[in-house]
PDB file of all heavy atoms in Angstrom:
ATOM      1  N   CYS A  66      -7.188  58.555 -51.522  1.00 94.00           N
ATOM      2  CA  CYS A  66      -6.885  58.072 -52.873  1.00 94.00           C
ATOM      3  C   CYS A  66      -5.991  59.068 -53.615  1.00 94.00           C
ATOM      4  O   CYS A  66      -5.036  58.668 -54.286  1.00 94.00           O
ATOM      5  CB  CYS A  66      -8.170  57.837 -53.662  1.00 94.00           C
ATOM      6  SG  CYS A  66      -9.143  56.446 -53.092  1.00 94.00           S
ATOM      7  N   LEU A  67      -6.300  60.343 -53.501  1.00 96.00           N
ATOM      8  CA  LEU A  67      -5.477  61.379 -54.131  1.00 96.00           C
ATOM      9  C   LEU A  67      -4.055  61.339 -53.573  1.00 96.00           C
ATOM     10  O   LEU A  67      -3.073  61.352 -54.327  1.00 96.00           O
ATOM     11  CB  LEU A  67      -6.081  62.767 -53.888  1.00 96.00           C
ATOM     12  CG  LEU A  67      -7.363  63.089 -54.643  1.00 96.00           C
ATOM     13  CD1 LEU A  67      -8.091  64.259 -53.993  1.00 96.00           C
ATOM     14  CD2 LEU A  67      -7.060  63.384 -56.102  1.00 96.00           C
ATOM     15  N   ARG A  68      -3.952  61.281 -52.271  1.00 97.00           N
ATOM     16  CA  ARG A  68      -2.643  61.271 -51.601  1.00 97.00           C
ATOM     17  C   ARG A  68      -1.838  60.027 -52.006  1.00 97.00           C
ATOM     18  O   ARG A  68      -0.657  60.132 -52.333  1.00 97.00           O
ATOM     19  CB  ARG A  68      -2.842  61.339 -50.093  1.00 97.00           C
ATOM     20  CG  ARG A  68      -1.582  61.517 -49.296  1.00 97.00           C
ATOM     21  CD  ARG A  68      -1.887  61.794 -47.836  1.00 97.00           C
ATOM     22  NE  ARG A  68      -2.469  63.101 -47.624  1.00 97.00           N
ATOM     23  CZ  ARG A  68      -1.803  64.248 -47.651  1.00 97.00           C
ATOM     24  NH1 ARG A  68      -0.509  64.244 -47.895  1.00 97.00           N
ATOM     25  NH2 ARG A  68      -2.402  65.393 -47.425  1.00 97.00           N
ATOM     26  N   ASP A  69      -2.477  58.852 -51.999  1.00 96.00           N
ATOM     27  CA  ASP A  69      -1.776  57.615 -52.365  1.00 96.00           C
ATOM     28  C   ASP A  69      -1.330  57.632 -53.821  1.00 96.00           C
ATOM     29  O   ASP A  69      -0.256  57.128 -54.152  1.00 96.00           O
ATOM     30  CB  ASP A  69      -2.665  56.400 -52.098  1.00 96.00           C
ATOM     31  CG  ASP A  69      -2.892  56.157 -50.613  1.00 96.00           C
ATOM     32  OD1 ASP A  69      -2.218  56.778 -49.767  1.00 96.00           O
ATOM     33  OD2 ASP A  69      -3.784  55.327 -50.294  1.00 96.00           O
ATOM     34  N   THR A  70      -2.152  58.211 -54.689  1.00 97.00           N
ATOM     35  CA  THR A  70      -1.789  58.309 -56.105  1.00 97.00           C
ATOM     36  C   THR A  70      -0.575  59.219 -56.279  1.00 97.00           C
ATOM     37  O   THR A  70       0.373  58.874 -56.993  1.00 97.00           O
ATOM     38  CB  THR A  70      -2.982  58.816 -56.936  1.00 97.00           C
ATOM     39  OG1 THR A  70      -4.067  57.895 -56.782  1.00 97.00           O
ATOM     40  CG2 THR A  70      -2.628  58.948 -58.405  1.00 97.00           C
ATOM     41  N   MET A  71      -0.589  60.366 -55.621  1.00 98.00           N
ATOM     42  CA  MET A  71       0.558  61.275 -55.722  1.00 98.00           C
ATOM     43  C   MET A  71       1.804  60.661 -55.097  1.00 98.00           C
ATOM     44  O   MET A  71       2.909  60.831 -55.612  1.00 98.00           O
ATOM     45  CB  MET A  71       0.249  62.619 -55.055  1.00 98.00           C
ATOM     46  CG  MET A  71      -0.565  63.576 -55.900  1.00 98.00           C
ATOM     47  SD  MET A  71       0.310  64.185 -57.373  1.00 98.00           S
ATOM     48  CE  MET A  71      -0.231  63.024 -58.599  1.00 98.00           C
ATOM     49  N   GLN A  72       1.644  59.915 -54.005  1.00 97.00           N
ATOM     50  CA  GLN A  72       2.808  59.275 -53.391  1.00 97.00           C
ATOM     51  C   GLN A  72       3.398  58.222 -54.325  1.00 97.00           C
ATOM     52  O   GLN A  72       4.616  58.084 -54.414  1.00 97.00           O
ATOM     53  CB  GLN A  72       2.451  58.649 -52.043  1.00 97.00           C
ATOM     54  CG  GLN A  72       3.663  58.142 -51.277  1.00 97.00           C
ATOM     55  CD  GLN A  72       4.691  59.241 -51.030  1.00 97.00           C
ATOM     56  OE1 GLN A  72       4.374  60.295 -50.481  1.00 97.00           O
ATOM     57  NE2 GLN A  72       5.936  58.995 -51.423  1.00 97.00           N
ATOM     58  N   ALA A  73       2.562  57.499 -55.032  1.00 97.00           N
ATOM     59  CA  ALA A  73       3.053  56.517 -56.006  1.00 97.00           C
ATOM     60  C   ALA A  73       3.840  57.220 -57.111  1.00 97.00           C
ATOM     61  O   ALA A  73       4.858  56.703 -57.579  1.00 97.00           O
ATOM     62  CB  ALA A  73       1.891  55.716 -56.587  1.00 97.00           C
ATOM     63  N   LEU A  74       3.390  58.410 -57.515  1.00 98.00           N
ATOM     64  CA  LEU A  74       4.126  59.172 -58.529  1.00 98.00           C
ATOM     65  C   LEU A  74       5.481  59.625 -57.972  1.00 98.00           C
ATOM     66  O   LEU A  74       6.498  59.542 -58.660  1.00 98.00           O
ATOM     67  CB  LEU A  74       3.297  60.376 -58.998  1.00 98.00           C
ATOM     68  CG  LEU A  74       3.820  61.113 -60.216  1.00 98.00           C
ATOM     69  CD1 LEU A  74       3.762  60.234 -61.462  1.00 98.00           C
ATOM     70  CD2 LEU A  74       3.024  62.395 -60.447  1.00 98.00           C
ATOM     71  N   ILE A  75       5.496  60.079 -56.739  1.00 98.00           N
ATOM     72  CA  ILE A  75       6.760  60.491 -56.105  1.00 98.00           C
ATOM     73  C   ILE A  75       7.704  59.301 -55.974  1.00 98.00           C
ATOM     74  O   ILE A  75       8.914  59.432 -56.173  1.00 98.00           O
ATOM     75  CB  ILE A  75       6.495  61.129 -54.724  1.00 98.00           C
ATOM     76  CG1 ILE A  75       5.782  62.472 -54.880  1.00 98.00           C
ATOM     77  CG2 ILE A  75       7.787  61.298 -53.935  1.00 98.00           C
ATOM     78  CD1 ILE A  75       5.232  63.056 -53.578  1.00 98.00           C
ATOM     79  N   ASP A  76       7.156  58.126 -55.668  1.00 97.00           N
ATOM     80  CA  ASP A  76       7.990  56.934 -55.492  1.00 97.00           C
ATOM     81  C   ASP A  76       8.723  56.543 -56.767  1.00 97.00           C
ATOM     82  O   ASP A  76       9.732  55.845 -56.708  1.00 97.00           O
ATOM     83  CB  ASP A  76       7.139  55.757 -55.002  1.00 97.00           C
ATOM     84  CG  ASP A  76       6.653  55.963 -53.577  1.00 97.00           C
ATOM     85  OD1 ASP A  76       7.192  56.827 -52.849  1.00 97.00           O
ATOM     86  OD2 ASP A  76       5.697  55.252 -53.187  1.00 97.00           O
ATOM     87  N   GLY A  77       8.240  56.985 -57.907  1.00 97.00           N
ATOM     88  CA  GLY A  77       8.955  56.774 -59.160  1.00 97.00           C
ATOM     89  C   GLY A  77       8.513  55.546 -59.926  1.00 97.00           C
ATOM     90  O   GLY A  77       7.714  54.745 -59.445  1.00 97.00           O
TER      91      GLY A  77
END
Side-chain angles (χ1 to χ4, degrees):
C66 290
L67 288 161
R68 188 171 290 284
D69 291 349
T70 300
M71 279 293 94
Q72 188 57 54
L74 190 66
I75 292 169
D76 291 344

